[in-house]
Amino acid sequence: MFSIGLTGGIGSGKSKVADWLAEWGAAVIDTDRISHDLTAPGGAAIEPLRTAFGADAIGPDGAMDRDWMRARAFADPAARLRLESVLHPLIGQAVQDQARQARGSYLVLVVPLLVESGRWRDRVDRICVVDCDPETQVRRVQARSGLTRSTIERIMSAQASRADRLAAADDIVVNDGSTDLDALRRRVLQLHQAWSDRASRTAAGHTTHG
């Protein structure tokens, strides 16, 4: 199935874009949602995380303690690699399972760290970056999560730079503070129509290049 890798920095608005694409008939697989399911109470990652990090990694509710894990991962690169070694294979398997069952005009893989991981370029036909200026990112994340500016900036510093994301993009959706919702929706719909057309031609046996 013709596939789009959808990415963007924290607070860029990629979830909104993904929701619209799903509404219009694309099959959407969100790796962040998969990760949340894996680390929820009873999730497949809970026992491996307990083994890798000890009981402190798991909160009283049985879910991964996200604040504790975030602090560890940012303070210690080895801890971050250990976390990724637990989660990434499980996420990859879940993506494969969902992709096999996906039904839609084309497939959208929402991957926050698509550019950083280096593993997705060969798995998707096109990369779409939802672009946003850093100050707008901070403001949006503060409004929705209550995280401090310093925490948000640490998260952003661990992600690819804006320039690196844009350099990897085949398509770009600008969603900064100057973009109104109607204009954003029109731009995303334009891309959806182009991708649907490309997917139809691919399914009919035409080349995906060019």
Side-chain angles (χ1 to χ4, degrees), residues 39-183:
T39 56
I46 293 301
E47 291 312 314
L49 288 169
R50 196 191 308 276
T51 300
F53 291 96
D56 287 345
I58 311 302
D61 62 350
M64 182 181 76
D65 186 328
R66 301 185 78 79
D67 291 337
W68 185 91
M69 190 63 76
R70 184 186 295 117
R72 284 293 302 275
F74 282 123
D76 181 3
R80 186 173 169 188
L81 288 173
R82 204 180 327 148
L83 175 64
E84 291 173 351
S85 73
V86 172
L87 290 181
H88 285 179
L90 293 171
I91 291 170
Q93 186 59 55
V95 168
Q96 286 184 15
D97 293 345
Q98 291 186 25
R100 274 196 296 270
Q101 301 170 35
R103 298 292 180 270
S105 48
Y106 57 91
L107 181 63
V108 179
L109 298 171
V110 187
V111 187
L113 301 182
L114 184 149
V115 174
E116 294 85 339
S117 74
R119 294 190 307 275
W120 291 92
R121 173 72 272 186
D122 295 333
R123 300 187 193 182
V124 296
D125 293 294
R126 294 183 74 79
I127 291 174
C128 178
V129 170
V130 184
D131 180 51
C132 177
D133 63 277
E135 190 54 42
T136 301
Q137 285 181 264
V138 171
R139 191 171 65 248
R140 286 176 181 158
V141 177
Q142 280 182 316
R144 80 183 186 206
S145 70
L147 293 174
T148 64
R149 172 178 280 270
S150 62
T151 298
I152 297 166
E153 288 176 344
R154 273 210 313 280
I155 294 170
M156 289 167 60
S157 71
Q159 297 184 339
S161 69
R162 187 182 188 187
D164 285 346
R165 271 195 301 271
L166 291 174
D170 299 301
D171 301 294
I172 297 168
V173 174
V174 177
N175 184 29
D176 59 23
S178 65
T179 310
D180 68 60
L181 203 59
D182 286 342

Side-chain angles (χ1 to χ4, degrees), residues 20-44:
W20 282 335
L21 296 174
E23 174 190 330
W24 296 328
V28 174
I29 298 174
D30 189 327
T31 60
D32 241 4
R33 288 177 187 162
I34 291 172
S35 177
H36 276 79
D37 290 344
L38 290 169
T39 56

Side-chain angles (χ1 to χ4, degrees), residues 1-2 21 24-27 103-107 192 195-196 198-200:
M1 185 184 287
F2 183 76
L21 296 174
W24 296 328
R103 298 292 180 270
S105 48
Y106 57 91
L107 181 63
H192 166 71
W195 294 335
S196 295
R198 190 80 168 268
S200 296

